Every structure is written in structure tokens, then in C-alpha cells.
Amino acid sequence: MSEPISIDIWSDIACPWCYIGKRNLEKGLEAVSADEDAPEVTVTFHSFELSPDTPVDFDGDEIDFLAGHKGMPRAQVEQMLSNVTGVAANAGLEYRFDLLQHTNTVKAHELLHFAKAEGLQHAMEERLMSAYFTEGKHVGRIDDLVALAVEVGLDADGARQALESETYLPAVRQDQAQAQAYGIQGVPFFVIDGQYGISGAQPPEAFENVLRDLWAKRGETEDETEPAAV
């Protein structure tokens, strides 16, 4: 049996392209799962903060934030968000930038590491991104994060204790250090088998092609190492 292909994803739950990229990866994985020799794959999310200096309670909407953060005119920001909303819709996501509550995401990343330790990282990642981009929920305050944690099956007291004590902050910082070592400057960034990098929200087909190619090479390597029949 071949070793599973590892996919390590650096992302921020406040990154609109990260949610799109996540959905496109899922579609790619679904497509290859129907193959006769379907690749075995493990997916792990890693922390990346796009705007670590953002306050927990930002005073303003997403247009205010981007106009100030990027120095862009409001009209240009509105056009950019409209474009992202359209791309998200094609991926099956209904973005609501009019509801979005911009915030600092470090606590959300700590929660993701707590969820990972409990075997629920994927469910927590999806819940946070959905809450942020499609429901207008606050994902920067401990009370709000604990409520979302409970929704995916995590223990409320355990989640609160982990967030208040910053138990998983070192793990967040370790992810960020690894991203820096890899030279990752933007997200989403997918590292496949620790050797192939895919940057940005690529279409599902891009993931399908890489996974099928790697899995085929896995099979070729195994054939070469098997003892000859006698």
C-alpha cells in the first residue's frame, strides 16, 4: 500500500481566496476519489495571518479596512470585492462582504490547533470560514469562537481554556515560521508531499492533475522495489 499523499495548506480564515481554494481542492479530491486507483490523501491546515496588526474589534466595514490597508479608492475596493464574490459563487460559496466583521484571526488559528488535537480540524476550518464570509459572525472574540467550537462537537470548557491560556499560540507561531522558511508570502499556499508548491486558488483540475501524477509515480516506484517473481 502506497503512503498517502500529504497536502499541507497555509491559509487564513479571513482570506477570501483561501476559502475558494479550499472548496476547489475538495472538488479535485472528490474527482480523483472516483478513480479506479484512487489516491490516498491527508490534508492538514496551517496558520498564516494576513493582517496580524488588525484589532479584534475593527471599527468599519471590509471596504473601510481594505481602503485603509491597501491604500485603494473605495470604488476600486468595491469592484475588487464584487469580482471575488463572483469567483466565490462559481465555487459554490455565497460571500456576504456587507455582513462581514473584520477582526484579528490569531485566536481563530489557536482554536484550529485545538480542534486539530481533537481530530476536528477540518470541521472547524469550514465552520470558521463559513461563519466569517457567509454569515457575518464575529470570529475574533473568545466567546464567539467557543460557540462555534461547540457547533462542530468540541468541548466548550476545553476550547475556552485553550484560548484563554494561549495553549496553542506556539503552534500558530511554528506554522508561521515554517511558512517563512518556505518563502510563502501569500495564501492559500498548498505544499504537496513536502516538495511541490501550488499558490493561489487554483481550479479543481490543477489539484486533480498533480494528485494523479504523484499517485502514478508512487505506483511505479513500488513496482521497481518489489522482488522479481521466481
Side-chain angles (χ1 to χ4, degrees):
M1 178 66 69
S2 298
E3 282 290 312
I5 296 171
S6 65
I7 302 180
D8 292 278
I9 309 170
W10 271 261
S11 66
D12 193 347
I13 62 103
C15 160
W17 295 106
C18 293
Y19 199 7
I20 294 168
K22 176 179 179 294
R23 196 58 93 239
N24 286 347
L25 170 64
E26 290 165 353
K27 291 177 180 177
L29 291 173
E30 183 180 2
V32 299
S33 71
D35 292 358
E36 184 175 348
D37 182 22
E40 300 269 341
V41 180
T42 61
V43 179
T44 305
F45 291 94
H46 299 274
S47 303
F48 191 101
E49 289 180 274
L50 284 173
S51 305
D53 56 345
T54 303
V56 172
D57 291 299
F58 177 75
D59 185 18
D61 60 17
E62 184 70 353
I63 298 174
D64 293 325
F65 174 79
L66 290 173
H69 188 68
K70 296 181 177 295
M72 298 165 58
R74 287 185 65 88
Q76 187 177 350
V77 173
E78 290 173 352
Q79 179 59 44
M80 183 177 72
L81 294 181
S82 176
N83 174 58
V84 175
T85 300
V87 176
N90 288 334
L93 300 168
E94 185 182 355
Y95 279 7
R96 291 294 305 273
F97 286 108
D98 57 321
L99 301 177
L100 188 148
Q101 298 188 63
H102 202 84
T103 187
N104 189 290
T105 60
V106 69
K107 284 295 176 190
H109 285 296
E110 291 177 40
L111 179 59
L112 284 168
H113 278 280
F114 171 69
K116 178 183 177 183
E118 299 294 318
L120 288 169
Q121 188 193 41
H122 290 199
M124 195 73 255
E125 182 88 15
E126 176 65 28
R127 188 67 196 95
L128 285 167
M129 286 181 158
S130 176
Y132 186 73
F133 283 110
T134 74
E135 301 167 44
K137 292 182 179 292
H138 203 296
V139 297
R141 297 184 296 241
I142 289 178
D143 286 350
D144 299 271
L145 289 169
V146 169
L148 291 171
V150 170
E151 288 186 28
V152 302
L154 290 166
D155 177 68
D157 291 338
R160 184 176 297 279
Q161 194 277 333
L163 294 174
E164 290 180 346
S165 65
E166 299 185 341
T167 303
Y168 292 94
L169 184 58
V172 174
R173 300 302 182 221
Q174 185 175 356
D175 277 354
Q176 293 168 330
Q178 183 62 65
Q180 190 171 21
Y182 277 146
I184 298 172
Q185 297 180 328
V187 288
F189 196 92
F190 304 81
V191 178
I192 302 182
D193 262 3
Q195 54 185 323
Y196 299 99
I198 296 179
S199 179
Q202 300 296 326
E205 295 77 20
F207 297 107
E208 293 175 42
N209 294 337
V210 171
L211 292 172
R212 286 184 174 125
D213 184 52
L214 278 174
W215 196 245
K217 289 178 179 176
R218 283 270 211 289
E220 292 170 5
T221 302
E222 284 195 352
D223 290 343
E224 291 171 2
T225 56
E226 286 180 2
V230 294

